[in-house]
Amino acid sequence: MTANTIALGTILIADDNQSAREVLEMMLRSHGYRVFAVSDGQQALQLLQQEAIDLALIDVVMPGQTGFAVCRAAKDRPETRLTPIVLITGLGRVEDRIQGIEAGADDFLIKPVRKEELLARVKSLVRIKRFTDELGSAETVVFTLTASIEAKDPYTEGHCDRLSRYSVALGERLELPQ
């Protein structure tokens, strides 16, 4: 990828096995993706916080934090909960897949990873992430327009904020759960 080429997406790879990490990195870079590769879960979580990651490929079995723990931690944070996470595993048991689903994994790849399957899943999940990001931007625009329209009329100024406060107060009075 040259300096003038725009990446198809930004991918994070976390795997303690250097050769497995390098193979994934090479496959993705050769197809136009920007790639960050790290060797453990803690580094993966730090990069998820620092960079605009479109997709994370996380090995399940790593020393320290497992892929399940990294997935759970990322999905618990508002700023990373919508980042798709694919768990890569050699574990074939149904219980392992269930544990991954419960941790919030969006998909699974079984080792050894087949190039065609990897590229198809990456392409699909990056596209979904981009759509999600666009929806977030559209929501911000709608709220901004609503606030500016509301501010132009003294009768409606602050109406949405008041309505929101009244709704919260009503919910608390009725002892509804958060």
Side-chain angles (χ1 to χ4, degrees):
M1 192 164 66
T2 65
N4 295 333
T5 306
I6 296 174
L8 295 175
T10 302
I11 312 299
L12 167 64
I13 300 168
D15 195 326
D16 61 315
N17 182 315
Q18 183 177 352
S19 61
R21 199 172 56 240
E22 288 173 352
V23 167
L24 290 173
E25 186 175 0
M26 186 180 65
M27 276 194 271
L28 293 167
R29 283 188 195 277
S30 69
H31 281 83
Y33 293 96
R34 180 176 176 220
V35 179
F36 291 98
V38 298
S39 60
D40 65 51
Q42 188 59 41
Q43 291 174 327
L45 286 172
Q46 288 173 348
L47 263 171
L48 281 167
Q49 293 282 326
Q50 296 167 354
E51 298 290 334
I53 302 294
D54 294 310
L55 171 66
L57 300 170
I58 310 290
D59 183 31
V60 169
V61 180
M62 291 188 290
Q65 287 187 306
T66 67
F68 298 132
V70 172
C71 185
R72 193 173 293 106
K75 295 299 184 172
D76 284 345
R77 293 182 176 150
E79 60 275 6
T80 57
R81 74 172 184 257
L82 296 177
T83 301
I85 295 178
V86 175
L87 293 178
I88 301 176
T89 182
L91 307 173
R93 299 179 333 175
V94 172
E95 295 83 9
D96 297 320
R97 293 179 73 85
I98 291 170
Q99 186 176 356
I101 292 167
E102 288 174 346
D106 297 281
D107 208 343
F108 293 89
L109 285 171
I110 303 298
K111 289 182 177 182
V113 176
R114 292 194 323 265
K115 181 179 180 178
E116 298 77 19
E117 183 180 13
L118 170 73
L119 294 173
R121 290 183 191 219
V122 166
K123 182 178 180 181
S124 174
L125 288 167
V126 167
R127 185 177 64 241
I128 290 169
K129 174 67 163 65
R130 298 277 168 91
F131 290 153
T132 302
D133 291 347
E134 287 175 19
L135 286 174
S137 297
E139 179 185 38
T140 302
V141 169
V142 169
F143 282 127
T144 302
L145 286 172
T146 302
S148 66
I149 291 169
E150 188 178 76
K152 291 182 185 247
D153 184 354
Y155 277 136
T156 61
E157 186 174 8
H159 173 74
C160 289
D161 286 333
R162 284 191 304 278
L163 184 59
S164 175
R165 285 193 310 273
Y166 294 152
S167 297
V168 169
L170 178 61
E172 288 172 349
R173 178 85 171 163
L174 294 173
E175 298 179 1
L176 298 176
Q178 290 277 340

